[in-house]
Structure formats: C-alpha cells, structure tokens
Amino acid sequence: MLELAVALENPKYAHNVGGVLRACSVYGASKLRWSGHRVVPDNMRRLPREERMKAYRNVDFAPCGLPWMIDTIVDNRLDWSIVAVELVPTAEQLPDFEHPTINTCYVFGPEDGSISRGLRTMCDRFVMIPTAACMNLSAAVNVTLYDRYCKRRHLGLEPIRPTSEYV
Ligand SMILES: C[S@@+](CC[C@H](N)C(=O)[O-])C[C@H]1O[C@@H](n2cnc3c(N)ncnc32)[C@H](O)[C@@H]1O
C-alpha cells in the first residue's frame, strides 16, 4: 500500500504540530516526524486535547533528530519521493504539481525560518503554494494534503464515499 508521511523541521509551536497531526490523520498520512527540541515529548502533553484523542491514533508520530528524521520514515530510498514544500524560486506551483505516485514524504520548514540547506539536499522535488504571503505551517500542510487528495480522487485513485459516511 502507498505510504504517505509528513516531516517538520524544528517546529516552534505545539499547537501547529497538533494541527499537522490532525491533518495527517484525516488525509491518511501514517507517519509524522519532527526535528528540533522546541516541541518535545514533555510539552507534547500540551497538544490540544483533540490531538491526543483516539481518532488520531492512526498516525505514528514522534520527535526525532536531524538528518535522521527522513531515515526514520523512509526504509528504502528508491521507494520514496521526498517533496519539500517551501517558497523557493525554483519550486513548482502546487496547482500544476503532479504528486508522486510512489510513497511520499512531504517536508515543511519551521514557523520562524525555512527548510535548511542540509534537508533540502535530501529532497527530490520542491513545490510552493502560490499565496500572497507565507502561510501558517499547519495550514500549508492541510492545503498540500488536500490538493493531493483531490488530484488522486480525480484520477480515480481515492474512493468516493457517500457524504453520509462523513457525518
Ligand atoms: C510559516 S512558514 C515559514 C515562515 C517564513 N519563512 C517567514 O518567516 O517568512 C512555515 C513553513 O510552512 C511552509 N509554507 C508556508 N507557506 C507556504 C507557501 N506559500 N508555499 C510553500 N510552503 C509554505 C514552508 O514549509 C515553511 O517553511
């Protein structure tokens, strides 16, 4: 089965990691990793209550170091595409972006910076969301995963469930 994962570089706020955890859960990303020491297991307890609820247990989430963050997600590098979501001049624009058809890990930078050069060298592709200014980290993750879902659904790669299943 195709795997989907999210990696955050040195996130600053636990509430953003909580929002990303929820995005991973609802869009079917099975792994979430983040680097740095600003959101650590101790203040994980301060994630918004709903992010600690049972419904989010379908996501394997953990803090870890750099550059091992990617290694804790990717088993065989050849089976994975690593996509940096960042405002860089050479990035493809999300509306035109064709999401990889193999296992994919989307990488995001911190609230007060951007993806480091070291981590960028591990990325295969770069995509930006054409917004007037930088988005909130968790919003950027949600938009990226929703875009992937919509495009895959359009290609018949995601099941179309009746609305009644969602409410
Ligand atoms: C809040 S932004 C970083 C802030 C920004 N570097 C600044 O200080 O102006 C956090 C992360 O969200 C992602 N992000 C936010 N808006 C984005 C956009 N429009 N396109 C691509 N990535 C975006 C990137 O991964 C970025 O590193």
Side-chain angles (χ1 to χ4, degrees), residues 64-77:
C64 59
L66 257 182
W68 304 276
M69 177 165 65
I70 299 296
D71 294 340
T72 67
I73 292 172
V74 169
D75 36 14
N76 182 349
R77 189 66 183 80

Side-chain angles (χ1 to χ4, degrees), residues 85-87 107-115 127-131 133-137 140:
V85 184
E86 191 56 86
L87 285 166
V107 179
F108 297 81
E111 294 89 334
D112 53 354
S114 52
I115 302 172
V127 63
M128 58 87 85
I129 307 161
T131 48
C134 201
M135 301 173 80
N136 163 272
L137 171 59

Side-chain angles (χ1 to χ4, degrees), residues 43-105:
N43 70 13
M44 284 276 299
R45 282 189 220 107
R46 280 183 259 134
L47 283 178
R49 193 184 74 85
E50 61 213 315
E51 269 72 46
R52 290 183 274 116
M53 284 166 61
K54 204 176 166 191
Y56 302 101
R57 296 211 181 126
N58 58 343
V59 184
D60 162 19
F61 63 96
C64 59
L66 257 182
W68 304 276
M69 177 165 65
I70 299 296
D71 294 340
T72 67
I73 292 172
V74 169
D75 36 14
N76 182 349
R77 189 66 183 80
L78 295 176
D79 293 340
W80 283 79
S81 180
I82 313 294
V83 177
V85 184
E86 191 56 86
L87 285 166
V88 290
T90 53
E92 298 175 68
Q93 297 205 4
L94 188 61
D96 311 315
F97 186 73
E98 288 182 23
H99 293 263
T101 51
I102 60 173
N103 300 330
T104 306
C105 175

Side-chain angles (χ1 to χ4, degrees), residues 9 21 27-28 40 56 103-104 132 135 141 151:
E9 185 173 27
L21 174 57
Y27 292 112
V40 292
Y56 302 101
N103 300 330
T104 306
M135 301 173 80
V141 175
K151 287 172 179 164

